[in-house]
Amino acid sequence: MSTSKTIKSALISVFHKDGLAPIVQKLNELGVTIYSTGGTENFIKELGIDVVPVEDVTSYPSILGGRVKTLHPKVFGGILNRQDHEGDVAEMQEYKIPQLDLVIVDLYPFEKTVASGAPEQDIVEKIDIGGISLIRASAKNFKDTFTVSSMEQYDEFLSIITENNGETSLDQRKKFAAKSFNISSHYDTAIFNYFNEDEVVFKASETSSKTLRYGENPHQKGYFFGDLEAMFDKLHGKELSYNNLLDVDAAVNLMNEFVDEDPTFAVLKHNNACGFAQRNTIKQAYVDALAGDPVSAFGGVLIANKEIDAETATEIHKLFCEVVIAPSYSDEALATLKGKKNRVILIQKTTKLPVQNVRTALNGLLVQDKDSKTDTLEDLTYVTNTKPSESEIKDLLFASKICKHTKSNTIVFTKNNQLLASGTGQTSRVDALRQAIEKATSFGFDLKGAVMASDAFFPFPDCVEIADKAGITSVIQPGGSIKDQLSIDYCNTNNISMVMTGTRHFKH
């Protein structure tokens, strides 16, 4: 039997009518018998095109407020029958079931209804039953039936029937069947995740994807699954790379800690802040952030929590950087930043971010809640005789926020709302501390009066001793070591203030 099929009959039942008219008109031109229901049926009639109501086939009207329209053996028999199966052909004739060569469905917008904040009753009514059943049935029988399962497929399908005079190939039908099962599985995942409250089950589906130039390295393929347009307005520059996206993610999560605060600027490299400052103006915040590590800033990602003005843009333009992110830009600033053709310029929108982290591990996945805990004044336990001053407390909490978003093991030094240096991703906390001291010294920072943050406890007093000799006067750390008292004792002997938060902030 030929694998090519000519469409002679179609069942159309869609939620979105946009883009449907040209398809209906082409099917009518090709002499296709069209069956339909409800609003779609009325839409086709308004085009002046003949349409057979499904109830004329089933002898049942649409019932239960429209909940049941197409769920009938004469509909699903017309879709699921195997045209090369003798028994199926006989039963089709016996029960007077019309052949359905094409099914066009566009499902009720369940996800959009949930996102709108609609009441549960409205959300439940947007769970499509008939539509999802039609999609699965016709996709299963792709050898004989063509399935269009979303309005996003209208244009491609119209091109196929226009170019081939209503004829479809097996490869085309199978390709659209795959699209259909993608649509149906995504739909069911969204419904399950809406209802699920108790089961520890990981289900995720993302139908929007982007092929990247490559992954972390040129020999690796890379993809992004998600909706970047919901996160950013891209104003200029080349396509974001895999590594860019990792840095942008780190930058956004870090700056979310400072959204409503004074002008703040961060410079990130390899997912860690190498420069960070908070000042009275965004220009000064940038200048002081860059001073934290002007070497690492080369090729980095920059992010601001306030509009970037002309003066700031002039300073930024002196630096080779991959990406600049801000809530807005002045016209003059934008003109300056566009002076380098490959520099990516993004406006960050207010968007709800995922509440879980997901990564592959071994032959499965690791899933955890995001570290949404930010250390506050109320979390602090004052464990030393010397208490931090008001300005030190401010710097300690500032340092803690940066430390939380820096790769473990990490030590962070800050003073006057500026990142002086950090030690990142070290296998020992002492190594992280020494790295931070060396970096601060190399860029001319005086650590006298600076504060230190650690993402985890000190198992021995060596870290506070080394920090003390470097000039650190106050320390913030989670505590919890069986030898905490040794560090406390050293601080008491040497007039260092130390606070504990009770919360570890590992970032592996």
Side-chain angles (χ1 to χ4, degrees):
M1 179 178 285
S2 172
T3 60
S4 294
K5 299 283 184 181
T6 299
I7 297 172
K8 297 179 181 178
S9 59
L11 172 60
I12 307 176
S13 181
V14 302
F15 183 86
H16 292 102
K17 315 298 188 296
D18 298 344
L20 182 64
I23 291 176
V24 174
Q25 289 161 346
K26 173 54 69 173
L27 293 173
N28 182 60
E29 179 186 319
L30 293 170
V32 174
T33 301
I34 299 175
Y35 299 86
S36 192
T37 63
T40 309
E41 178 188 337
N42 292 332
F43 174 82
I44 295 171
K45 286 179 178 177
E46 289 172 3
L47 294 174
I49 293 173
D50 291 337
V51 56
V52 179
V54 166
E55 61 190 52
D56 287 359
V57 177
T58 64
S59 299
Y60 268 91
S62 172
I63 62 174
L64 306 180
R67 281 188 163 197
V68 180
K69 297 187 284 286
T70 58
L71 296 170
H72 193 280
K74 282 199 171 182
V75 173
F76 282 86
I79 295 170
L80 283 164
N81 73 93
R82 295 158 291 186
Q83 294 180 22
D84 59 352
H85 188 282
E86 185 176 335
D88 285 6
V89 173
E91 287 188 73
M92 291 284 286
Q93 294 172 348
E94 179 182 356
Y95 296 111
K96 297 183 174 59
I97 300 174
Q99 178 68 44
L100 294 172
D101 304 313
L102 166 68
V103 173
I104 302 178
V105 174
D106 184 71
L107 298 169
Y108 293 159
F110 177 82
E111 288 180 279
K112 288 185 179 179
T113 306
V114 172
S116 73
E120 184 171 281
Q121 182 179 350
D122 293 347
I123 292 171
V124 169
E125 288 306 313
K126 286 299 184 288
I127 298 175
D128 207 314
I129 302 300
I132 206 80
S133 301
L134 292 170
I135 286 174
R136 288 177 59 82
S138 53
K140 174 180 179 176
N141 201 34
F142 67 88
K143 290 179 70 175
D144 294 315
T145 311
F146 199 107
T147 316
V148 178
S149 52
S150 168
M151 65 181 296
E152 279 74 28
Q153 300 164 16
Y154 288 176
D155 288 344
E156 185 178 358
F157 172 69
L158 180 59
S159 295
I160 289 171
I161 60 173
T162 300
E163 293 171 8
N164 300 290
N165 207 33
E167 191 172 280
T168 67
S169 69
L170 179 61
D171 286 344
Q172 289 168 337
R173 295 193 299 276
K174 190 171 184 178
K175 174 185 174 183
F176 272 72
K179 292 175 182 283
S180 298
F181 286 119
N182 184 25
I183 292 289
S184 66
S185 64
H186 178 82
Y187 198 75
D188 285 342
T189 296
I191 294 170
F192 169 78
N193 285 335
Y194 171 75
F195 279 99
N196 183 43
E197 295 180 353
D198 302 320
E199 290 191 59
V200 181
V201 175
F202 178 75
K203 287 185 184 292
S205 177
E206 182 55 67
T207 57
S208 176
S209 65
K210 182 179 181 64
T211 300
L212 306 174
R213 295 196 303 276
Y214 50 81
E216 278 186 289
N217 301 291
H219 62 276
Q220 296 169 266
K221 293 182 179 179
Y223 310 92
F224 175 77
F225 293 91
D227 186 1
L228 283 176
E229 291 183 1
M231 281 285 306
F232 305 105
D233 286 329
K234 181 183 172 187
L235 306 181
H236 181 74
K238 62 183 180 181
E239 291 299 313
L240 288 165
S241 70
Y242 184 98
N243 292 332
N244 288 157
L245 289 168
L246 288 174
D247 283 332
V248 168
D249 175 71
V252 166
N253 281 288
L254 172 58
M255 195 55 74
N256 277 351
E257 303 274 0
F258 301 87
V259 171
D260 297 320
E261 298 189 14
D262 291 338
T264 307
F265 215 108
V267 183
L268 285 92
K269 193 71 173 288
H270 300 306
N271 308 325
N272 296 306
C274 60
F276 200 100
Q278 191 172 75
R279 294 292 183 258
N280 292 326
T281 67
I282 201 68
K283 176 189 174 183
Q284 195 60 49
Y286 168 71
V287 170
D288 289 349
L290 180 63
D293 189 344
V295 175
S296 297
F298 183 85
V301 168
L302 279 56
I303 186 167
N305 71 343
K306 306 293 182 187
E307 179 173 280
I308 292 180
D309 55 26
E311 288 187 343
T312 309
T314 299
E315 292 299 319
I316 292 171
H317 194 57
K318 299 173 184 177
L319 174 73
F320 168 71
C321 58
E322 294 273 358
V323 184
V324 183
I325 309 166
S328 59
Y329 304 81
S330 71
D331 291 342
E332 295 84 356
L334 200 54
T336 299
L337 294 174
K338 285 182 176 180
K340 293 185 179 178
K341 67 177 183 178
N342 287 330
R343 179 186 287 145
V344 179
I345 304 173
L346 302 174
I347 289 180
Q348 184 182 346
K349 302 177 185 178
T350 302
T351 312
K352 189 174 181 180
L353 294 173
V355 297
Q356 290 183 317
N357 296 122
V358 182
R359 64 193 296 180
T360 59
L362 302 175
N363 61 346
L365 299 172
L366 283 172
V367 181
Q368 67 169 350
D369 295 338
K370 271 193 171 181
D371 184 357
S372 59
K373 170 64 178 172
T374 298
D375 297 327
T376 65
L377 183 63
E378 291 72 25
D379 297 314
L380 304 184
T381 300
Y382 303 88
V383 296
T384 52
N385 297 332
T386 302
K387 301 298 185 283
S389 66
E390 186 175 337
S391 63
E392 284 177 327
I393 289 175
K394 188 175 180 181
D395 273 336
L396 288 169
L397 294 174
F398 181 81
S400 173
K401 290 181 181 180
I402 300 172
C403 189
K404 167 185 167 182
H405 293 275
T406 307
K407 191 171 181 65
S408 299
N409 285 321
T410 185
I411 292 290
V412 167
F413 295 149
T414 67
K415 184 164 63 173
N416 298 329
N417 286 350
Q418 181 183 18
L419 173 64
L420 304 186
S422 59
T424 64
Q426 299 302 303
T427 52
S428 120
R429 198 159 303 281
V430 170
D431 286 345
L433 173 56
R434 287 176 172 151
Q435 181 191 53
I437 293 171
E438 182 180 348
K439 286 190 70 174
T441 303
S442 69
F443 293 118
F445 288 111
D446 181 2
L447 290 177
K448 187 175 182 180
V451 306
M452 176 174 76
S454 174
D455 61 330
F457 64 62
F458 301 123
F460 303 101
D462 48 3
C463 280
V464 289
E465 181 179 354
I466 295 168
D468 171 36
K469 292 176 180 178
I472 299 299
T473 57
S474 193
V475 178
I476 185 170
Q477 58 126 328
S481 169
I482 60 173
K483 296 184 178 180
D484 274 344
Q485 193 60 47
L486 294 178
S487 294
I488 294 171
D489 289 344
Y490 181 89
C491 289
N492 284 335
T493 301
N494 294 276
N495 298 317
I496 299 172
S497 62
M498 183 161 66
V499 298
M500 294 184 180
T501 64
T503 302
R504 189 181 72 186
H505 290 294
F506 271 163
K507 185 188 177 193
H508 286 100

